[in-house]
């Protein structure tokens, strides 16, 4: 794996720990449609409201693995990306610091943090799984949510959900039987342990003409939105 790619993944993983809020979803290597450019923009880590399209909660993180300090130009182009995707806040994470002008230019809505390059060598990806989709190359699944269901007095059933950082497909991991499953964008799945619920994915239009893929948990009593990826 190339060094900058490892660095992006480290920043994504640390972001799931740092922004550990059940109402937020962390999407590594996201691709969302720019509101101004109308083009797909790549975002190293997108932090978005989990349950519906709400740009007031949107935050973008850019990982800059650089030999030199980041400068004012990089801050300006990052601010341009933030505007295009409607993010209110942004964080630039860099290996080798930043110039004073870059810091001044960043003002309040852009944070600059340093994670030194040495961390790249000490890091392991044990907590990530390979993407289960046959055609996805090199994708890793970041499990970012644990989901428990209780039926009457039985101990809760626990499932983990995550998404691949290359093809972005949702993954479900049933802890009762150990099954793991990748879901397509408009898909449906019931685990072979045959509990009385199933999972659905659906692409839904949002008010501003963008779309999201929703991951839904469906049982006899209700349908819950568990996760969302903006497109
Ligand atoms: Zn994948
Ligand atoms: Zn199962």
């Amino acid at each position: 794996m190339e060094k900058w790619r490892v660095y992006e993944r480290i920043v994504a993983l640390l972001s799931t720990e740092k922004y550990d809020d059940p109402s937020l979803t962390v999407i590594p290597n996201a691709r969302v449609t720019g509101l101004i450019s109308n083009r797909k923009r790549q975002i190293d880590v997108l932090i978005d409201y989990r349950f519906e399209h709400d740009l007031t909660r949107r935050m973008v993180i850019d990982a800059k693995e650089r030999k030199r300090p980041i400068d004012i130009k990089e801050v300006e182009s990052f601010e341009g990306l933030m505007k295009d995707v409607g993010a209110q806040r942004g964080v630039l994470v860099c290996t080798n610091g930043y110039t004073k002008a870059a810091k001044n230019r960043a003002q309040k809505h852009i944070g600059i943090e340093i994670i030194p390059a040495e961390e790249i060598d000490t890091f392991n990806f044990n907590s990530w799984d390979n993407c289960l989709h046959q055609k996805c190359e090199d994708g890793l699944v970041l499990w970012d949510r644990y989901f428990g269901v209780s039926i009457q007095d039985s101990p809760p059933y626990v499932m983990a959900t995550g998404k691949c950082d290359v093809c972005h497909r949702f993954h479900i991991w049933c802890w009762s039987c150990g099954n793991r499953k990748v879901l397509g964008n408009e898909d449906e799945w019931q685990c072979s342990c045959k509990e009385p619920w199933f999972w659905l994915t659906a692409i839904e239009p949002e008010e501003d003409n963008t779309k999201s893929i929703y991951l839904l948990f469906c049982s006899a009593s209700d349908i819950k939105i568990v996760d969302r990826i903006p497109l």
Side-chain angles (χ1 to χ4, degrees):
M1 220 190 298
E2 290 171 77
K3 221 172 176 185
W4 60 268
R5 188 75 182 99
V6 178
Y7 193 64
E8 279 185 12
R9 284 175 156 157
I10 291 172
V11 170
L13 188 58
L14 294 175
S15 301
T16 61
E17 290 163 12
K18 187 164 179 185
Y19 304 97
D20 181 21
D21 173 340
S23 72
L24 297 177
T25 185
V26 176
I27 303 161
N29 188 29
R31 277 178 173 71
V32 298
T33 307
L35 302 170
I36 305 166
S37 67
N38 205 23
R39 290 210 171 173
K40 285 280 182 194
R41 305 294 307 261
Q42 189 273 344
I43 298 167
D44 292 345
V45 186
L46 173 69
I47 298 178
D48 220 4
Y49 188 56
R50 185 179 281 271
F51 305 112
E52 62 180 22
H53 187 61
D54 176 1
L55 292 178
T56 64
R57 309 284 297 269
R58 180 167 283 184
M59 181 172 164
V60 294
I61 300 177
D62 206 2
K64 300 235 178 265
E65 193 260 318
R66 296 278 190 280
K67 296 221 159 42
R68 49 164 185 79
I70 57 168
D71 59 25
I72 194 164
K73 274 198 186 126
E74 285 167 300
V75 176
E76 287 185 337
S77 94
F78 181 59
E79 190 179 50
L81 169 74
M82 283 171 60
K83 263 199 185 137
D84 196 16
V85 301
Q88 309 294 313
R89 286 186 302 152
V91 181
L92 282 167
V93 182
C94 53
T95 39
N96 278 300
Y98 42 83
T99 64
K100 200 172 171 201
K103 181 71 187 160
N104 293 340
R105 179 66 186 79
Q107 299 176 298
K108 270 190 191 143
H109 59 298
I110 301 176
I112 305 182
E113 291 169 12
I114 300 169
I115 299 177
E118 296 83 71
E119 300 240 345
I120 296 175
D121 305 321
T122 62
F123 220 78
N124 73 64
F125 285 93
N126 290 345
S127 60
W128 298 51
D129 275 320
N130 291 321
C131 177
L132 294 172
H133 195 266
Q134 286 175 341
K135 287 188 183 146
C136 179
E137 280 177 32
D138 308 324
L140 291 181
V141 178
L142 178 61
W143 301 104
D144 74 332
R145 166 103 204 246
Y146 300 93
F147 185 79
V149 186
S150 294
I151 300 180
Q152 289 156 1
D153 299 329
S154 70
Y157 293 86
V158 178
M159 289 151 275
T161 65
K163 21 203 186 286
C164 171
D165 72 348
V166 172
C167 72
H168 303 109
R169 287 181 177 88
F170 285 116
H171 284 64
I172 315 280
W173 178 3
C174 171
W175 287 14
S176 305
C177 69
N179 262 347
R180 293 175 205 201
K181 173 75 178 171
V182 58
L183 293 176
N185 291 343
E186 291 190 277
D187 209 348
E188 151 173 4
W189 180 64
Q190 183 181 32
C191 187
S192 55
C193 57
K194 293 280 179 221
E195 301 306 341
W197 53 69
F198 62 99
W199 296 86
L200 266 187
T201 51
I203 299 177
E204 298 288 340
E206 306 290 3
E207 275 174 8
D208 58 2
N209 290 327
T210 62
K211 289 177 180 168
S212 304
I213 306 172
Y214 284 88
L215 175 67
L216 306 168
F217 176 86
C218 311
S219 64
S221 55
D222 68 337
I223 296 177
K224 273 198 183 88
I225 295 172
V226 176
D227 205 354
R228 185 180 74 87
I229 298 176
L231 295 174

